[in-house]
Amino acid sequence: MSDDELNLSPAQLDALKEIGNVGAGNSATALSQIINRRIDMNVPRVDLVPLEAVPDLVGGPDAIVVGIFLRVYGKAPSNILFLLPQKSAFYLVDKLMGRKHGETAKLDFMDESALMEIGNILTGAYLNAFFTFTKLTMLPSIPALAMDMAGAILNVVLVQLGQMGDQALVIETEFLSEDDGISGQFFLVPDPGSLETIISAVGVE
Amino acid sequence: MPELIRVGMADYKVGKAPATLISYGLGSCIGVSLYDPQLKIGGLLHIMLPDSKQARSSDNPAKFADTGLPLMLEDVLKLGASRSRLVAKIAGGAQMFAFANATDIMRVGARNAEAITKLLQEEHIPLKAQDVGGTYGRTVSIDLNTGLYTVRTIAKGEKQI
């Protein structure tokens, strides 16, 4: 990423934030209907972050998280990563599988599959909003899941950006369920070349 | 308490006993240690990518194997380490998500390991131990008192190499 690509105007940053907002709003609604709980979300953060600082956004590089990763193909290739602290992921699985709160202590194959499906649904809802704003068709890959150190999981996204520059543009939204049992972070990280495409599709100077 | 020096991603640190150098949460990244066992001087480098020539310009040479290793080597020697006594250990290089059609970028862990192994050979620094590959994250540290390189994982516990 060259320096001039990184100089987004305040209006462009606002446009990206709005896309993130509506996308995450759609996702939050979908998630809330699935688990029958109100889901709150914060105002999305749109930020250029030095690569090495990204793990600190999710509680530090050695925090244990569950990451659901989807590659997005189309005119503006991107990565989507939905990160949940381990405990949140377990609570979410309790809900999805009809178990008692706190019963899940590890993820079996079916649990992982359920979480990946959540990743699918959230991503679909998010990309729908994205299409409404940009008219860019974005097709997600099948999801992949890992439970591990946050830094290690983020590596997947960061190495691609690392080839092009030293910073990541992240559009990040935090989810929180009403009983505070489930929280998660949804990241859309456009490939460096995709940023221009997205910005020009939004049509904001 | 001996000093614990944190090495961030795309960064390196050098030091002397009794310090320990540590880097958290490596996925496809690799932690490369150099160590002079007699003077107990060493360094730890956390690389992300194999080759700076395949990337666009970067302000940070420590991000790449080919530009990071010479930098750390120079600083370890500046601290007084003897080049002929230096030994290397590496860990990391995982593939965190297994996709059927893994692209080059998905395999970056393996390419990192190949690159750093070759560079160490070219510099005639013996690679004394390694723990690379797999599908899991690692936290790595080198105790400069003993030269022991500790690899901590969530699924497979802790081991020293």
Side-chain angles (χ1 to χ4, degrees), chain A residues 180-194:
Chain A
D180 287 3
I182 300 166
S183 67
Q185 286 164 299
F186 192 92
F187 289 92
L188 174 73
V189 188
D191 289 6
S194 300

Side-chain angles (χ1 to χ4, degrees), chain B residues 89-113:
Chain B
K89 293 180 183 177
I90 63 172
Q95 185 179 336
M96 298 302 298
F97 293 97
F99 277 105
N101 56 344
T103 57
D104 247 22
I105 204 76
M106 294 287 175
R107 290 200 331 105
V108 69
R111 293 196 292 129
N112 277 336

Side-chain angles (χ1 to χ4, degrees), chain A residues 8 15-17 50 61 79 94 105 109 113 120 172 187:
Chain A
L8 296 175
L16 288 176
K17 212 172 269 187
N79 292 308
D94 286 337
F109 180 74
S113 176
N120 250 340
E172 180 220 349
F187 289 92

Side-chain angles (χ1 to χ4, degrees), chain A residues 148 151-152 155 162-166, chain B residues 25 27-29 55-56 58-59 63 137:
Chain A
D148 214 308
N155 256 191
Q163 282 190 322
M164 310 296 276
D166 297 323
Chain B
S28 56
C29 292
R56 275 206 234 167
S58 168
D59 298 332
K63 196 158 74 177

